[in-house]
Amino acid sequence: MNNSSYIGSMQILSPERLDWAAYPFVIPAVNDLEKIEFHPNVTFFVGENGSGKSTILEALALGLGFSEEGGTRNVSLSTASTSSGLHQSLRIIKGYHKPQDYYFLRAESFYNVATYMHELNYLQGYGGTIHHRSHGEAFMSVITHKLKGNGLYLLDEPEAALSPAMQMTALSMLHQLCRSRSQFVIATHSPILLAYPNAKIYQFSDTGIREICYEDTDHYRMTKDFLINYQKRIHQIIEE
Ligand SMILES: Nc1ncnc2c1ncn2[C@@H]1O[C@H](COP(=O)(O)OP(=O)(O)OP(=O)(O)O)[C@@H](O)[C@H]1O
Ligand SMILES: [Mg+2]
């Protein structure tokens, strides 16, 4: 493990006691969890819808003591539990240094965290009232005001709210935060975010997890092919 990493890897505890035919252990990526060694800067999870990215990211977050809904470590929300329980079977190998800052962003629960913060009158750190901003503006305000550096940050599809230009701004902020000793684990479908060079990309599929380089990801290849040949591809998709 790199000296500057806050988390090094994750493992399944007592695999012989688990039901590998039941959710979440039946997901091929969960079978291959041992292969994930975190990059000291950014680790990306990519893969088709339903390949297990959010399941593993949430288990990692819960295993580290984050609330299921996201936000900082001391935000704890009592909404209905949808957790897979995987975190109870995880051993997370931590580094020598402890992060000074934490954040777990689940795209779909971001609004709930904002509501809770609002009720607690805890919005100073977000630079104002998040509910008066657009989804993308609110997301960017979390990145700019809330992530302070020296932190461990888990983000699930952070691109969901962002225009391509804003995704590039987010890349620049990501880089600044990495330079101030931050570590990220990011589940994404964004071919823009995935281009960040100080990173490891793990592709999740029905055969498990494998490390892959940027230009070999489906996200890069298919987006590039589509944009270059969009007239032909549209014709094939809607006419054939
Ligand atoms: N509570 C549950 N019980 C059974 N199966 C579940 C449950 N929650 C999720 N799943 C299944 O687990 C699999 C992994 O889901 P997950 O949300 O981790 O995928 P993902 O890679 O994040 O997909 P996406 O890119 O669409 O966000 C999916 O097949 C999903 O249907
Ligand atoms: Mg997901």
Side-chain angles (χ1 to χ4, degrees), residues 65 140 156 158 214 224:
M140 288 310 278
D156 196 355
Y214 175 55
K224 184 177 177 188

Side-chain angles (χ1 to χ4, degrees), residues 23 27 47-56 82 156-157 189:
Y23 171 80
I27 299 172
E48 271 309 315
N49 296 120
S51 57
K53 303 178 300 294
S54 296
T55 304
I56 291 179
T82 54
D156 196 355
E157 294 191 35
H189 291 294

